[in-house]
Amino acid sequence: MSASKNIKKIIRNMSAGVIQIGSQEKEEPVHSFSGEITPLSPSSKFTESSIDIPGQNLIKYMMLSHWDNILGPRVVHVWNMGTDSLDSGFLSRISSQSLSGEICREVTSFIDHKMYEIPDADVFVTAFIFTAMGISGPCVHTLSIVIQKSDMTFFLNIQQLFLKCFERIIRKFKVNLDQVSLDSTFESTYKDFDDCCHPCIENIGYLKKSVFPQKIVLSSTYLCPAHHLDRDFLSCCISSHLSTFGRSLVIGDKEDTVNMMLKTLSLFNSPKERYCSRLVQQNEPSQYHHDMWLQGQVQTSDHLDLPVPEILYSGYPTTLIDLSQKMVRESPPYSEHVTHAQDQWYNELVGLQYGMVEPCIPQGELFSQHEKSDTLVSGLLDELDKLPSDCGVREAYIQQFNRSIQYKALCIIKYVEGETNSGTIPFRGEYKKLQKDVCILSEGDFRIYLSAAEKLKPGLIGFLYSKYSREHSNSGLSTSKPYVR
Amino acid sequence: MMDLNMFGADLPYNMYIQEEESKVNDGWNFDLEDYLAPHSQVPHPWNRQPAGETHLDVDFILVAEFSELEGPREVLTIPKGGSSNFNITDFSVRIMSLDHQTTTKQGFHLIEDSQVTFSEIKDSVFAFVHHFALYDRHARGYVRPFAISYITPDSRKLLQFYEEISQQMKKVVRYLKYGNKLVFKNSLEMHLMDLHYTKAEMLLRMRSRKSSHQVSDEDVCYKNLRTLEANITETQNVLHTIKLSLVDKKLEHRFARLEEKAKIETPRVKSDSWSLQEWEEIEATYSVSNVSGSYDGSSLSDNTTGWTLFPDTRYYRPKTVKISSGRQFDIHLQGLHELCSWGHREGMQKLRHLYQFFKRDMAVLQVESNDKTFMDPGPSALYFGEDCIGVNLLTGVDKKCMGCHCLQADIPGLLFNKCSSIESLSFKSAASSFRSVNDDDAESMKSAISATGSPVVNFGLYNENDVPNTFELEKDNIDLYSNNEFIRHLTFKIQQLDIDISKDEPMGPIENAEDRTTIDNVKKFVESFGDGNKERSLDDVEKLEEGNGAISEMVVSTSTLLGEDFEERSSGTSDHEDFTCECDLSDVETEGMRDRLHTLTAENVGQLEYEKEAKNEKEAGSIKIAPETEKTSVLAQSIKNESMLERDSEGMTSYDLIRLNIENLIPVDFDSPEQESTRFPSNADNDSPDADNLACGFGILHIMTKYASIKHVIYSILIGRSVIVVGTPDLEGEVKNIVNALKIFLTSYHRNHRSFIPWTKCLPSLYKMTDLKLVGVCRPERKPFDRFIPSAIKKLCTVFDVKRREIFCPVYQGYYLSLLDNRVRNYKMEEMLTTLIKSIMVEISSKAFIYFHSFCIGPAGVGRQDYKFLQQQSSSFQRRVSNFMAKIGVHDSDAHIIEFLCETIKQQLIQDHFQTRASVSHMPERPLATHNDLCCQMMKC
C-alpha cells in the first residue's frame, strides 16, 4: 500500500497510444508475483485520501474507478472513511464488478445505479456509473460505495434519499473533473470531493445516529387534547403537509414545539418516510437538506431565513410552517415546482462550471399562503375528538385515514389509466369530471389525493397536466432551460 | 478480453471527439456539455415510450446461461416471449458478462451465488439478477453458469422490494441447486462405478495378454491406467465435496415425495422426464433421449432406476468408459430441467409465483405492502372479498389498556355495555335463529333468548356457567349444527363416524346415486391413463395437489365444493357432506396407494393389462372404497398436516402472506386454455374449478350496469343477510357470474371455509345459511318461483330471481352505495370500479372503526341500564345507536352496514378467543345476523 502513495507520473502519449512509465517502476519487487494472484501492474496504482467526518458513519470507504483503455476496470482513487486496512486485490475486485457489463456504455448524462452484495467480505456495494472526464477524455467511471452488510436495512430505508444525494454529488463532481485541465490536477480534484459530499454524508450519519421515532405516541403530538393548538392552524398545517406530498419544514423559536409539530405531521407519513426525517436537536447542526421528508429549524430572529435554493432543489414541494407567526406557506404546485427544481439542478452546475458563487433563485414571491378550503382534515379532527385519546386508538385511526387516502389515490390512478388506455392517449383535462367520478368533494381534497397518487405513480401529475408544451416529454431527454439571471 | 477493453474505453472517447467537432464554439455561453447536464426525463406513469424504440412495457423474468458452446443465451422467459420490444439477446450478453467470481482458488469448489441490481436509465430498464452455477459432469470445469433476472421498467419496484425479491430468488435457486446437486452426485457416482469397472476390465485384459504383447502396447495400457486412476481420484474428490454440501434433508424429502407421486401416476419409465418437459417446454433443441447414455455409453439400462433423483445403485450396471485425457466439447449439454430434475419443477413454480406477484402495478403493490401491517392481529381485521382489508380495529392499539376509560363506570355497567353492543345487531343467538325458522315469530324470540342469557361473550369476560346452559336448552338443535360447524376444523372422529354411517347403510337409492358419481369420477381418472392428453390432466391434478401446501389446500377446498355439489343432488341433508368430500379426496389417494402397490409388485405387467385391471377394480370397488377411505383419509390428513408444518417451519414471510392472498386471484395453472379444457372433460368437474379461477369481483361492472337495483342486493350482503340468486338451468352462467362478481362484498371470504356457492342444484337448508352468505341456486324449469323458495327463506334471505329480474330484499337508502351506483355508468374498465369499491369499503370501515372504539367499547355507548323490560332496554339502545351514527355522519341504511361490520369483527374476536384459549366445544354459534325489522320489498331490476 505504501508503494501506491508515491504514484508515478503517467504520461499518455496521445498520438502513439503508449503509456510511458517512470524508470523506477522496473524495480517492482518480484516477490509480489508469487502465488496465484495476478500481479498488479504499476499502472494499477491508485491515490488514497481520507474523509474525516465525526459521528456515525454509514460508509466504510468509497472508490472511484474507470474503464482503462488497456487495463479494463481500474481503481483510481479511494476515499477512506475509517477503515484500517484496504486490500488492493479486493478493491480491484469491487471495481471490476462495478464496471462489468458497462463496456458498451455510451456517453450520456445518466447516472446509473448498481447494488450487490459481497457475502465473503460481509459488505455490500452500491455503485454509481456515469461518464466523466478521465485522463484520456470522457470514459465510464464508477463510484463504488462500500457499506457494512449489517447496515443494509438502514440503507434500504433511506435509499431514496441516498440516491438523490449522490446523484447530486456526482453531477457536481463530473463538472469538477471536466475542469481538471484548466487549473488543477485530478488528484486535487479527488481530494476536493470531500467538500462535495460532506453535508450529505454528515446528514446520513445523523439519520443513522438518531432515528426518527417510528412509533409516535399521541401525547407527544398536537393531536393530544393536553397540548392546545389553534384548531384551524393545525388543520391548515396538516392539509398543507398532505398536499405537498408529506414534506414539511417547521420553523419555530423553541425546540420542543418544533419537534412536537414534526411528530404530529409524521403521523401522516409512511414509516419509510419517517426514516428520512429528522427532529431538531440541540448542539446538532440543523442545516436544511434537500429531499428529506420532515425537518425543523429553530430560528429566533424576526426575519425568516429560508434555504430557498435547497427547497427548490428537492423533488417534491414543501410546506413551510412558521410556528411563531402561525403561518403556513407552501411551495408552488408540483407541476411548477418540477421546472423550478430542474432549473435549480442545472443552474448549480452552470454556476460551478463558470465559477459563479451566487446562487440563482427565481424572482418574486415563491411561497404562497395555504388557503383553508378543505374538509377532509377538519373532518378527521372532528372524528378524532370522538375517539378515546389513549391506548393508541387515535393513532390507529390516523393510519386508517392514511389508508383511505391511498385507496382514493389508487382510484384516481386507475381512473386515469382506464380513461387514457394506460397513458397512450392524452387525458382531455376533465378534472371536474374526474373529481366527481372518484367521489372527491372539494378542490383541497383533490390536491391531497393527487399528491398521494403522484407518490404512488410518479409522472401522473405531469401526465394529467401536460397540455401542449410537454408533448415531447416522453422522448427521453427534454431540453433544459438555459441559464437565466 | 483485451480487445473488449479497448473497445469499451475507446467508444465513448470517439463519440466525444465526434461531438466536439460538430459543435460550434461560440464563446461564452452558459451551456454545459451534454454529458454533464442533469437529465430531466419526466417519467411516464405507465412506462410508455414512443413507438419504434426498444423498450420494456411489462416486467418479465429471464433465465439465461453462459453456454460453453454458444456463449450467453436465453434459456427461458416468464411469460413466454418476454417483452415484445425488448432485445433479450443483448440483455443476456450483458448480464452474463457480469463478473461475479469471488475466489481464485484452484481445483473444484462450490461457487457462491451473487445478486446484483442495476439500472439502465437510458432505456428505463431495471433488473435484479441472481447469478448461480449448476454442476454438470459433462461441462467444462463441471460448471454451468446461469442467471435469473427480474426485469422491470419500474425502478421503485427493485428499490422497495429488494429484500423480498432477493429472498424469493434465493429460495428459487435453492430448489434448483439442490436438485442439481443430487443429479450431479448421482451422475458422479455412476461415473465412478463406470471408472472402477473399466479399471477392473483393463487390469483383467492386461493380465490375460501380458506375455503375448510387446512392450509399447503395454506402455499404452499403463498410460491409460494412469489416466483412469487420475480420473477416479478427481471424481472422488468432487464427489466428496458435493456430498459434504448435501445437508438439506427437508428438500431431499420433498423431492423424494414428488418422485414417488410421479412414479405412481406414470408407471411408464420415460414419461417421468417427459412430465418435466411438459411443465415448461424448455428448448427446441432438447432431445428426450438420455444424454449421458449417448455420451459415454454408460446408459442407464435398468428401466426401474430410470431418470430419477434417487436411484438404487445396486441395480446399476456399470459400463466401460472410453479413456481420454482431454474433454470433448461437441456434446450436447443438458437442459435446465435435466440438470435440476425436481428442483427445476419446484423452482420454476416458485418463480412463476414470484412473477405473478411482482408483475402487478407498483402502485397496487405499494398500497398492498402498506396494508400488510393491517393484517395483524388477524381476528380484528375486516376483509372484503379476498384481498381488500377494510380496516383493522386493533392494529397498533394497546389491547391491555383498551377500554380502560370505561372503568370509570362501574363494572356491571361495563359488562352491560359490552353485552348490549353485541346484541345490538343480531338480537339473537344462532340457536334462536333455528327456532325462528320454525315458529316464525322472531320478535318474541328476541326477548326470550335474551332472557335466557344468550351466549354473549366478550374479550376475556367469558362466563363459563352461562353458556352451557344455553346449549342445554337448545341442545337438540345445536347438536346437528355443531357437527357441521366444526367438522371441518379438527374433529376427525366425526368424520369417521360419518363414514361408518354410510358404510352401514345398504346401497339405498340415495347412496347409490352418490356412489355412482364418485365412481364416475374415479373412472375418469383411470381412463386418463390411456390417453396422452388426459394423462397430462391427471398429472396436473396431482401436481396441484402435492405441489405445495397452499395449492394442496386449494384442491381440498374444491373437492369440498365438489362434494357439496354431489350431496346437494342426492340428499339435501348435510350429514354426508363431509363424507363425500373426504371420499372424493381419498379416491385419489386410494388410487395412489393401489398404484404404488402395482408398481411394487407387478413391475413387468403390461400397460394395457394394468389399465384394464384398474378399471375392473374400480367398477367392482364401489363398496370397497368405503372401508379403505378410513385408512387413506388418515393418510391424506397426515400429508396435509405435513405440508402445513413445512410451511410453518419455513416461516411465513410477509410476502408469503400476500402471496397466499393472491393465489386465489391468479389461476394456479399456467397452462394454455386448451389444456385446461382437457383437464376437466366432464361437466360435473367443470363448474367449481372454473369459478375458482376467476378473480374475486370479476364481472362486477357488467352486473352493476345490467341490473339497476343491484345496490339493494349489495346492501343485503353488507348487512349480513344471505343472498340467494335463483336462476333456471339455462341461466347457470349468468348466476355464477353474479355470485362471482358480488363476492367482492363478502366479509367472510375464507379460502377453506367458504361462504358462497356459485351454483348448486338444490336450495341449501336454512341452518346452513348462517355460513353461506351468497348462493347461486338452480330452479328447475317446471317449478314455479314461489313454490321453490319457501316463505321462511324469503323472510330471512334476500332472493334475487334472475329469470324474472326481480329482487326481494330490504330497500337501501343511504349514501355510500348510491354513490357507487351513480358512478357506474362513467366507468369503462372493471379495475376502475373495483378500486372504487375498495376505496368506498375502506371509507365505510373507517366509520366502523369509530363506532367500535367510541361506541361499542368506548364511553359513548354507555347508557342507562335500569330498565325493567328488555324491550325498553333494546329500544333505548337502538336510539343511542342511531344518535351516535348521526353524529359521525352516517345515516339510514349505512348505519346498519356499519353495525354489521362491527358485529363481524366482534364475532371474529370471539371465535379467536375460543380457538386459542377455551375448548372448542363451548364456542357460541355464529348468529344468523339479520335485521328482521327491515321490511322487504319486491323490486324489478
Side-chain angles (χ1 to χ4, degrees):
Chain A
M1 201 49 53
S2 62
S4 69
K5 275 183 182 157
N6 51 3
I7 187 169
K8 306 297 170 302
K9 281 273 180 221
I10 299 164
I11 306 136
R12 172 151 175 152
N13 189 331
M14 299 292 274
S15 55
V18 177
I19 294 180
Q20 294 174 347
I21 303 165
S23 59
Q24 301 103 307
E25 283 309 309
K26 282 160 198 157
E27 283 134 39
E28 188 68 27
V30 190
H31 58 80
S32 70
F33 286 82
S34 60
E36 304 121 18
I37 302 152
T38 324
L40 293 170
S41 75
S43 40
S44 62
K45 295 276 167 55
F46 54 87
T47 46
E48 196 185 333
S49 63
S50 65
I51 298 179
D52 200 23
I53 291 171
Q56 284 265 6
N57 216 338
L58 178 71
I59 300 164
K60 281 182 82 174
Y61 51 91
M62 301 188 283
M63 54 189 271
L64 183 77
S65 41
H66 69 95
W67 261 112
D68 190 276
N69 212 347
I70 312 282
L71 295 162
R74 187 197 144 179
V75 185
V76 178
H77 189 91
V78 175
W79 292 272
N80 197 338
M81 301 182 70
T83 316
D84 302 329
S85 60
L86 294 171
D87 172 20
S88 57
F90 187 63
L91 290 181
S92 57
R93 184 176 140 200
I94 291 176
S95 114
S96 67
Q97 214 159 332
S98 296
L99 277 167
S100 65
E102 305 297 340
I103 200 165
C104 296
R105 207 186 141 90
E106 295 162 15
V107 177
T108 57
S109 65
F110 296 107
I111 298 169
D112 278 314
H113 178 238
K114 197 180 254 180
M115 187 167 102
Y116 53 91
E117 284 176 48
I118 302 180
D120 51 328
D122 202 30
V123 291
F124 70 95
V125 178
T126 168
F128 295 90
I129 298 121
F130 53 94
T131 311
M133 189 64 80
I135 301 165
S136 55
C139 64
V140 182
H141 279 67
T142 172
L143 180 74
S144 311
I145 298 164
V146 182
I147 302 172
Q148 201 71 38
K149 182 93 163 285
S150 52
D151 289 329
M152 183 95 161
T153 344
F154 173 73
F155 175 78
L156 288 174
N157 280 327
I158 61 148
Q159 198 179 19
Q160 215 84 29
L161 176 69
F162 192 88
L163 295 186
K164 287 259 183 209
C165 280
F166 269 89
E167 272 170 24
R168 183 182 185 178
I169 291 169
I170 286 166
R171 277 199 293 259
K172 288 207 270 189
F173 184 54
K174 273 160 68 178
V175 173
N176 281 339
L177 283 177
D178 193 54
Q179 289 175 316
V180 162
S181 51
L182 298 176
D183 50 5
S184 58
T185 60
F186 278 104
E187 274 174 78
S188 63
T189 315
Y190 297 150
K191 291 221 170 81
D192 289 344
F193 183 63
D194 333 7
D195 304 337
C196 249
C197 57
H198 201 282
C200 160
I201 293 174
E202 198 179 27
N203 183 44
I204 287 170
Y206 178 82
L207 289 181
K208 190 163 178 261
K209 192 179 77 184
S210 48
V211 182
F212 198 92
Q214 285 299 300
K215 187 163 171 58
I216 308 288
V217 195
L218 196 78
S219 57
S220 65
T221 69
Y222 280 116
L223 294 169
C224 179
H227 305 290
H228 181 71
L229 190 74
D230 179 39
R231 204 187 166 87
D232 281 345
F233 178 64
L234 184 62
S235 144
C236 215
C237 290
I238 294 171
S239 61
S240 179
H241 175 70
L242 285 172
S243 52
T244 54
F245 298 76
R247 292 240 165 122
S248 287
L249 168 67
V250 180
I251 299 166
D253 48 5
K254 269 193 244 101
E255 192 186 298
D256 49 343
T257 52
V258 171
N259 280 347
M260 192 172 282
M261 181 49 91
L262 286 174
K263 281 180 185 165
T264 311
L265 295 177
S266 76
L267 283 170
F268 299 90
N269 284 84
S270 74
K272 265 210 174 135
E273 290 165 3
R274 263 176 242 164
Y275 274 108
C276 296
S277 309
R278 53 190 285 179
L279 294 173
V280 178
Q281 259 182 13
Q282 239 168 10
N283 312 325
E284 284 285 349
S286 60
Q287 228 174 11
Y288 185 86
H289 194 279
H290 66 97
D291 286 303
M292 299 255 290
W293 295 92
L294 282 166
Q295 44 195 326
Q297 269 181 5
V298 178
Q299 288 190 7
T300 40
S301 63
D302 284 346
H303 180 68
L304 268 189
D305 186 19
L306 289 177
V308 179
E310 291 288 304
I311 290 176
L312 288 181
Y313 199 94
S314 303
Y316 289 134
T318 308
T319 295
L320 303 165
I321 297 171
D322 187 352
L323 283 178
S324 41
Q325 291 182 36
K326 295 267 183 290
M327 198 151 60
V328 182
R329 290 185 291 172
E330 56 188 52
S331 311
Y334 180 68
S335 43
E336 213 174 302
H337 177 87
V338 170
T339 44
H340 281 313
Q342 285 176 359
D343 287 350
Q344 204 60 35
W345 299 352
Y346 195 79
N347 289 348
E348 185 184 51
L349 299 180
V350 171
L352 204 62
Q353 176 92 327
Y354 299 103
M356 276 165 290
V357 198
E358 195 69 11
C360 153
I361 48 168
Q363 298 297 307
E365 192 58 53
L366 263 177
F367 302 101
S368 56
Q369 288 269 356
H370 177 75
E371 57 220 71
K372 300 160 191 164
S373 71
D374 89 274
T375 54
L376 188 69
V377 175
S378 47
L380 171 79
L381 292 179
D382 285 343
E383 284 167 345
L384 282 179
D385 280 346
K386 295 193 177 65
L387 289 169
S389 59
D390 41 13
C391 317
V393 177
R394 287 191 185 185
E395 293 94 313
Y397 186 70
I398 290 170
Q399 292 315 309
Q400 174 70 12
F401 173 78
N402 292 343
R403 283 189 65 218
S404 71
I405 288 181
Q406 279 213 327
Y407 268 94
K408 197 66 110 182
L410 203 57
C411 276
I412 296 177
I413 293 169
K414 291 291 164 197
Y415 183 85
V416 177
E417 187 178 316
E419 287 287 317
T420 64
N421 189 18
S422 297
T424 44
I425 39 176
F427 186 73
R428 288 185 306 279
E430 295 146 352
Y431 306 113
K432 280 274 168 272
K433 186 170 177 295
L434 167 73
Q435 282 183 40
K436 205 173 151 231
D437 282 346
V438 290
C439 318
I440 296 169
L441 300 172
S442 77
E443 197 66 38
D445 292 354
F446 185 56
R447 280 188 63 197
I448 291 175
Y449 290 131
L450 208 57
S451 62
E454 169 74 25
K455 273 204 275 187
L456 288 175
K457 201 133 201 72
L460 184 80
I461 292 184
F463 177 76
L464 278 182
Y465 290 95
S466 64
K467 291 273 157 52
Y468 311 99
S469 57
R470 290 275 193 92
E471 239 133 64
H472 63 282
S473 69
N474 294 338
S475 58
L477 267 170
S478 67
T479 49
S480 306
K481 285 188 182 172
Y483 190 72
V484 248
R485 277 206 84 124
Chain B
M1 190 61 184
M2 217 42 126
D3 291 356
L4 286 175
N5 285 347
M6 299 275 272
F7 173 60
D10 278 347
L11 177 73
Y13 180 63
N14 291 339
M15 287 168 66
Y16 175 65
I17 289 173
Q18 276 167 12
E19 270 167 29
E20 221 172 23
E21 280 165 359
S22 64
K23 204 165 271 174
V24 188
N25 197 359
D26 49 358
W28 185 257
N29 62 343
F30 295 110
D31 226 356
L32 286 175
E33 298 287 352
D34 262 352
Y35 83 97
L36 291 177
H39 76 89
S40 45
Q41 195 175 20
V42 181
H44 187 278
W46 289 276
N47 305 308
R48 293 290 186 275
Q49 309 255 305
E53 279 179 41
T54 50
H55 72 281
L56 202 58
D57 356 69
V58 283
D59 297 7
F60 73 100
I61 288 180
L62 168 72
V63 181
E65 76 160 320
F66 201 113
S67 161
E68 59 184 68
L69 304 175
E70 298 167 50
R73 67 181 195 106
E74 118 189 48
V75 176
L76 60 94
T77 56
I78 302 169
K80 226 175 194 163
S83 182
S84 54
N85 281 323
F86 186 74
N87 192 336
I88 290 176
T89 324
D90 278 2
F91 192 82
S92 319
V93 171
R94 169 146 193 216
I95 58 165
M96 292 316 295
S97 66
L98 291 185
D99 182 15
H100 72 279
Q101 296 284 346
T102 53
T103 47
T104 46
K105 253 192 284 176
Q106 280 186 334
F108 182 83
H109 60 272
L110 300 173
I111 296 165
E112 268 191 89
D113 298 2
S114 71
Q115 295 183 325
V116 56
T117 53
F118 66 85
S119 69
E120 231 175 80
I121 298 172
K122 186 166 73 72
D123 304 325
S124 60
V125 172
F126 301 87
F128 182 99
V129 188
H130 187 116
H131 291 274
F132 61 101
L134 296 179
Y135 302 102
D136 183 354
R137 195 170 63 77
H138 309 304
R140 203 183 303 184
Y142 298 112
V143 169
R144 304 266 305 270
F146 279 87
I148 301 178
S149 11
Y150 188 91
I151 303 158
T152 168
D154 198 332
S155 64
R156 297 173 306 148
K157 227 173 240 182
L158 300 183
L159 290 185
Q160 209 135 5
F161 295 101
Y162 177 82
E163 268 169 325
E164 277 91 346
I165 295 179
S166 161
Q167 275 302 319
Q168 294 304 318
M169 283 284 193
K170 278 177 189 158
K171 274 188 189 170
V172 169
V173 173
R174 181 175 143 232
Y175 286 124
L176 290 176
K177 276 169 68 174
Y178 206 80
N180 170 251
K181 272 184 198 163
L182 288 173
V183 170
F184 186 54
K185 189 199 79 179
N186 293 338
S187 111
L188 281 180
E189 268 171 357
M190 284 169 196
H191 187 60
L192 196 62
M193 283 162 82
D194 289 345
L195 288 173
H196 279 301
Y197 179 76
T198 317
K199 187 180 157 192
E201 285 252 292
M202 213 186 312
L203 284 175
L204 211 67
R205 231 184 306 146
M206 271 172 80
R207 225 169 277 146
S208 64
R209 52 189 176 176
K210 203 170 188 177
S211 48
S212 59
H213 283 272
Q214 298 129 6
V215 189
S216 63
D217 208 22
E218 201 172 296
D219 214 35
V220 170
C221 268
Y222 186 64
K223 224 184 203 164
N224 279 349
L225 210 58
R226 280 235 318 243
T227 320
L228 204 59
E229 202 60 60
N231 274 353
I232 288 175
T233 350
E234 185 188 333
T235 313
Q236 270 169 342
N237 281 341
V238 175
L239 197 60
H240 177 70
T241 323
I242 280 291
K243 270 185 177 163
L244 281 183
S245 69
L246 287 171
V247 285
D248 198 339
K249 288 297 160 206
K250 213 167 73 189
L251 262 188
E252 209 159 314
H253 182 65
R254 187 174 182 147
F255 291 152
R257 227 171 47 211
L258 277 174
E259 189 162 302
E260 195 76 347
K261 269 282 180 203
K263 262 188 205 158
I264 294 152
E265 67 200 44
T266 52
R268 282 178 298 159
V269 182
K270 287 280 182 193
S271 56
D272 197 346
S273 67
W274 177 81
S275 78
L276 280 171
Q277 184 202 14
E278 168 265 335
W279 184 251
E280 165 76 40
E281 297 126 295
I282 312 292
E283 303 114 276
T285 49
Y286 159 69
S287 74
V288 190
S289 67
N290 213 325
V291 180
S292 61
S294 63
Y295 169 56
D296 58 8
S298 69
S299 79
L300 308 163
S301 55
D302 201 329
N303 278 347
T304 46
T305 52
W307 179 244
T308 165
L309 259 190
F310 306 96
D312 196 340
T313 38
R314 281 170 303 172
Y315 296 120
Y316 180 67
R317 248 176 264 133
K319 293 273 177 296
T320 39
V321 215
K322 208 168 82 190
I323 297 155
S324 62
S325 48
R327 285 194 178 279
Q328 292 166 296
F329 293 113
D330 54 342
I331 45 134
H332 175 78
L333 289 171
Q334 292 177 320
L336 189 59
H337 60 289
E338 291 166 292
L339 283 175
C340 307
S341 180
W342 295 107
H344 173 260
R345 214 201 73 170
E346 293 287 277
M348 286 302 134
Q349 196 173 342
K350 204 148 184 78
L351 206 57
R352 282 190 178 82
H353 285 300
L354 175 86
Y355 175 71
Q356 292 293 337
F357 183 82
F358 283 112
K359 76 166 186 190
R360 295 175 301 153
D361 193 344
M362 184 61 196
V364 178
L365 282 175
Q366 233 169 326
V367 171
E368 226 170 55
S369 79
N370 278 356
D371 281 0
K372 220 162 51 189
T373 49
F374 290 83
M375 290 169 83
D376 185 58
S380 60
L382 178 66
Y383 287 86
F384 290 98
E386 56 190 356
D387 60 347
C388 172
I389 305 175
V391 68
N392 195 331
L393 298 184
L394 298 181
T395 300
V397 175
D398 189 351
K399 261 173 279 182
K400 280 190 199 107
C401 86
M402 188 179 64
C404 285
H405 40 263
C406 307
L407 284 176
Q408 284 126 14
D410 49 346
I411 298 296
L414 172 66
L415 254 174
F416 171 73
N417 163 45
K418 292 192 174 178
C419 295
S420 62
S421 74
I422 281 176
E423 250 180 327
S424 62
L425 182 67
S426 59
F427 279 104
K428 310 191 238 271
S429 68
S432 69
S433 70
F434 295 122
R435 208 167 316 147
S436 69
V437 176
N438 299 335
D439 33 24
D440 266 12
D441 192 355
E443 211 44 43
S444 70
M445 267 316 296
K446 180 163 70 182
S447 49
I449 289 306
S450 304
T452 53
S454 58
V456 174
V457 189
N458 34 49
F459 331 101
L461 287 168
Y462 168 56
N463 190 342
E464 238 182 292
N465 293 330
D466 271 9
V467 181
N469 276 345
T470 333
F471 276 81
E472 217 59 60
L473 279 171
E474 310 290 339
K475 196 161 187 176
D476 291 352
N477 284 331
I478 291 170
D479 262 0
L480 184 66
Y481 179 73
S482 61
N483 264 6
N484 263 304
E485 173 66 28
F486 301 118
I487 215 158
R488 287 190 209 92
H489 296 306
L490 288 164
T491 48
F492 195 57
K493 271 182 196 165
I494 300 174
Q495 277 177 20
Q496 285 175 321
L497 198 98
D498 274 350
I499 291 160
D500 282 345
I501 290 169
S502 60
K503 198 166 54 177
D504 291 346
E505 270 173 10
M507 299 275 276
I510 295 169
E511 281 299 307
N512 225 354
E514 187 187 312
D515 273 356
R516 214 173 294 143
T517 45
T518 47
I519 293 163
D520 281 350
N521 220 12
V522 169
K523 256 192 217 163
K524 246 176 282 136
F525 280 121
V526 176
E527 273 162 15
S528 64
F529 277 108
D531 188 307
N533 270 341
K534 283 178 186 165
E535 187 168 336
R536 192 178 289 186
S537 76
L538 177 72
D539 199 12
D540 280 354
V541 170
E542 293 280 295
K543 258 176 209 157
L544 277 173
E545 197 176 324
E546 267 290 340
N548 69 32
I551 290 178
S552 79
E553 237 177 80
M554 235 173 91
V555 171
V556 171
S557 63
T558 46
S559 68
T560 317
L561 220 70
L562 266 176
E564 273 173 8
D565 214 352
F566 292 144
E567 171 259 316
E568 242 92 63
R569 207 182 301 155
S570 56
S571 56
T573 62
S574 70
D575 262 19
H576 307 287
E577 176 192 331
D578 291 281
F579 164 65
T580 21
C581 106
E582 268 309 315
C583 191
D584 217 38
L585 177 76
S586 55
D587 277 342
V588 183
E589 287 300 321
T590 319
E591 197 177 51
M593 280 191 42
R594 220 168 272 148
D595 285 345
R596 217 167 301 172
L597 259 169
H598 274 283
T599 43
L600 287 174
T601 54
E603 273 172 5
N604 295 323
V605 176
Q607 187 55 36
L608 258 167
E609 212 174 313
Y610 165 75
E611 261 177 55
K612 248 188 238 163
E613 201 184 349
K615 213 184 262 179
N616 287 341
E617 203 174 324
K618 293 287 140 155
E619 263 157 348
S622 53
I623 311 164
K624 264 192 216 165
I625 289 172
E628 264 188 52
T629 312
E630 210 172 299
K631 240 187 290 157
T632 50
S633 56
V634 176
L635 194 110
Q637 197 77 17
S638 73
I639 285 177
K640 228 192 295 175
N641 287 345
E642 207 171 37
S643 63
M644 294 284 271
L645 267 175
E646 199 171 314
R647 191 141 47 94
D648 280 353
S649 63
E650 274 185 24
M652 288 280 263
T653 60
S654 52
Y655 165 82
D656 282 329
L657 277 173
I658 292 188
R659 205 205 60 204
L660 279 180
N661 264 357
I662 61 156
E663 237 153 51
N664 264 7
L665 243 161
I666 50 148
V668 182
D669 37 293
F670 302 93
D671 304 356
S672 53
E674 310 95 78
Q675 279 178 341
E676 209 168 291
S677 59
T678 52
R679 180 178 319 141
F680 299 107
S682 85
N683 253 339
D685 280 6
N686 226 349
D687 56 35
S688 50
D690 268 5
D692 263 8
N693 286 347
L694 291 177
C696 184
F698 181 80
I700 184 79
L701 183 58
H702 175 72
I703 302 294
M704 284 194 76
T705 36
K706 187 171 177 186
Y707 300 102
S709 310
I710 197 82
K711 72 173 175 193
H712 305 293
V713 180
I714 296 171
Y715 172 55
S716 293
I717 297 177
L718 287 178
I719 57 168
R721 219 178 137 91
S722 298
V723 172
I724 301 173
V725 185
V726 186
T728 45
D730 53 314
L731 287 170
E732 181 183 335
E734 182 70 13
V735 171
K736 272 191 206 164
N737 282 344
I738 293 173
V739 171
N740 224 321
L742 293 179
K743 261 182 347 195
I744 197 170
F745 296 100
L746 282 178
T747 51
S748 48
Y749 187 106
H750 291 295
R751 289 159 54 77
N752 298 320
H753 183 81
R754 298 253 168 181
S755 52
F756 66 92
I757 299 176
W759 183 248
T760 168
K761 291 275 156 51
C762 150
L763 198 64
S765 40
L766 241 185
Y767 59 82
K768 278 181 85 180
M769 281 304 188
T770 47
D771 276 351
L772 288 172
K773 292 295 176 202
L774 190 55
V775 193
V777 184
C778 170
R779 171 170 67 90
E781 202 78 65
R782 53 198 152 66
K783 221 170 181 179
F785 179 78
D786 293 325
R787 270 207 2 243
F788 183 69
I789 304 286
S791 62
I793 282 195
K794 259 190 182 175
K795 197 170 171 58
L796 289 164
C797 303
T798 289
V799 183
F800 181 7
D801 185 7
V802 182
K803 180 87 179 173
R804 293 193 295 178
R805 298 186 69 138
E806 272 176 2
I807 303 173
F808 187 73
C809 65
V811 181
Y812 175 78
Q813 276 179 321
Y815 172 66
Y816 293 104
L817 293 184
S818 313
L819 204 69
L820 189 63
D821 206 33
N822 294 338
R823 298 288 176 266
V824 164
R825 265 161 277 118
N826 298 329
Y827 279 67
K828 290 177 192 154
M829 272 166 47
E830 189 142 300
E831 209 182 352
M832 293 157 83
L833 186 65
T834 46
T835 324
L836 182 70
I837 290 172
K838 282 177 188 170
S839 144
I840 289 179
M841 290 303 140
V842 170
E843 244 169 85
I844 294 180
S845 313
S846 300
K847 298 286 182 195
F849 184 98
I850 301 176
Y851 175 70
F852 180 82
H853 277 289
S854 69
F855 190 88
C856 297
I857 62 166
V862 182
R864 285 175 61 203
Q865 357 107 30
D866 52 349
Y867 294 106
K868 279 199 183 111
F869 301 104
L870 219 66
Q871 200 68 43
Q872 252 180 324
Q873 183 182 317
S874 127
S875 63
S876 123
F877 178 75
Q878 279 296 311
R879 259 201 315 280
R880 267 185 292 132
V881 169
S882 54
N883 280 344
F884 183 81
M885 288 289 188
K887 253 195 257 171
I888 59 171
V890 177
H891 305 281
D892 305 323
S893 307
D894 292 333
H896 297 307
I897 294 178
I898 285 160
E899 275 182 87
F900 172 71
L901 297 182
C902 269
E903 290 315 307
T904 312
I905 298 174
K906 283 182 206 164
Q907 197 65 39
Q908 285 171 8
L909 287 168
I910 291 166
Q911 228 161 12
D912 175 65
H913 173 83
F914 278 95
Q915 272 164 7
T916 51
R917 266 153 284 187
S919 61
V920 178
S921 58
H922 285 157
M923 187 154 80
E925 300 311 317
R926 180 186 286 248
L928 179 70
T930 50
H931 278 274
N932 284 300
D933 45 339
L934 294 173
C935 53
C936 296
Q937 271 181 27
M938 187 66 91
M939 266 171 294
K940 276 278 173 201
C941 69

